[in-house]
Amino acid sequence: MTSIGQAHVVALSGGVGGAKLAYGLLQALPADSLSICLNTGDDFEHLGLHISPDIDTALYTLADLANPQTGWGRRDETWTFMQALDRLGGETWFQLGDGDLATHVERTCRLARGELLSGIVSDFARRLGIRARLVPMSDSQVRTRAITDEGEFDFQDYFVRLQCRPRIQAIRYMHADAARPAPAIESVLRDPGLEAIVICPSNPYLSIDPILAVPGMRSAIRAAGVPVVAVSPIIAGEAVKGPTAKIMRELGRPASANEIAHHYAGLIDGFVLDSRDRGLADTIGCSVHIADTLMRTTDDRIRLAGETLRFARTLAATPGGRRQ
Ligand code: FO1
């Protein structure tokens, strides 16, 4: 793994969009010089299994195992388990493929044996041949809850079973105040070789805020003393994937890229803005890099990652390029 002092980048990620940029960063950086801090607010217990969607989306994406259509779950999947479960009257609203099921079963067994989530994720990443350090934001439970006009729901209930139909009034991160950052995240943010922190184009409210809600995480990011760059998940007022724009509107916030930048104000030094939103550049409130942020292909992911890293390095080299 990374030796102390080796140039290193930390990425905060959740969901499909975040994993795609993480993939690009993995290709754009030398082996073992990337750590990905993963959202676990989407985690939930289902069918007696501990499901960690954003961890698994990152594992599968970085190992080139992800379903190319959905971005989550595995490619070339079979569905015997789901079909048999359906015949028995089991819950099938959350689609678990046969290969994906092995991940949930093995994680659940190891947690039951007392292993920490960060140790399990690290071992799975090693076994899948991933040359990056994947770390859950915390080893203790944090659960994203959607407070809506139809009641309060677990994240997956809202996002998958109810297909984001209820109108969001607020989002809360249950048990966050009792959590602390996973030790591996704290140590990599203190690593003298750390050169940049990238906030991936994930949904800020659903995937990044749970990470930032872990006590000590924001201060550890600030104390790292390196450029923090966020990549916009919004292009021309629409989320690239998922309900980001809808949630922003329901939270009474303009579904625009500069709203995302303002949401991260005080934390970021730079913002990667999509070229279709270049007219907003003067309202972002920090240094801006204009790029094509839509990642359709693997090359797009690698290109965007390279531009983001170069942008961060220019901020490091520019006096005043970092927030005071
Ligand atoms: N998203 C869906 O919309 N429908 C599903 O049936 C579904 C199953 C699923 C199984 C494993 C997994 O890791 C992710 C899954 N997702 C599904 C995505 C999940 O809701 C994630 O939370 C999103 O990717 C947003 O982070």
Side-chain angles (χ1 to χ4, degrees), residues 11-26 34 36-39 54 57-59 61-62 71 198-203 207-208 211 231-233 240-241 293 295 301 304-305:
L12 307 184
S13 178
V16 171
K20 287 181 178 174
L21 186 67
Y23 179 93
L25 290 166
L26 182 62
L34 173 64
I36 304 162
C37 179
L38 293 165
N39 170 41
D54 285 356
T57 296
L59 280 169
T61 301
L62 297 183
V198 175
I199 300 180
C200 291
S202 308
N203 180 312
S207 298
I208 304 297
I211 298 174
V231 178
S232 178
V240 175
K241 187 171 178 63
T293 62
M295 294 176 278
R301 299 176 186 184
L304 181 58

Side-chain angles (χ1 to χ4, degrees), residues 226-245:
V226 299
V228 180
V229 173
V231 178
S232 178
I234 291 268
I235 296 177
E238 276 310 314
V240 175
K241 187 171 178 63
T244 303

Side-chain angles (χ1 to χ4, degrees), residues 291-312:
D292 177 357
T293 62
L294 193 55
M295 294 176 278
R296 292 183 191 82
T297 66
T298 302
D299 286 348
D300 286 345
R301 299 176 186 184
I302 298 168
R303 174 188 48 73
L304 181 58
E307 287 190 50
T308 302
L309 291 169
R310 278 191 297 281
F311 177 42

Side-chain angles (χ1 to χ4, degrees), residues 14-16 39 42 51-57 60 70-73 92-97 100 104 107 155-156 159-161 163 206-207 241:
V16 171
N39 170 41
D42 289 9
I51 314 273
S52 297
D54 285 356
I55 287 174
D56 296 351
T57 296
Y60 296 152
T70 57
W72 52 264
T92 56
W93 59 270
F94 195 77
Q95 291 292 297
L96 294 173
D100 188 33
H104 307 301
R107 174 169 42 238
F155 175 77
Q156 296 300 340
F159 188 81
V160 178
R161 191 169 61 80
Q163 298 294 309
L206 300 180
S207 298
K241 187 171 178 63

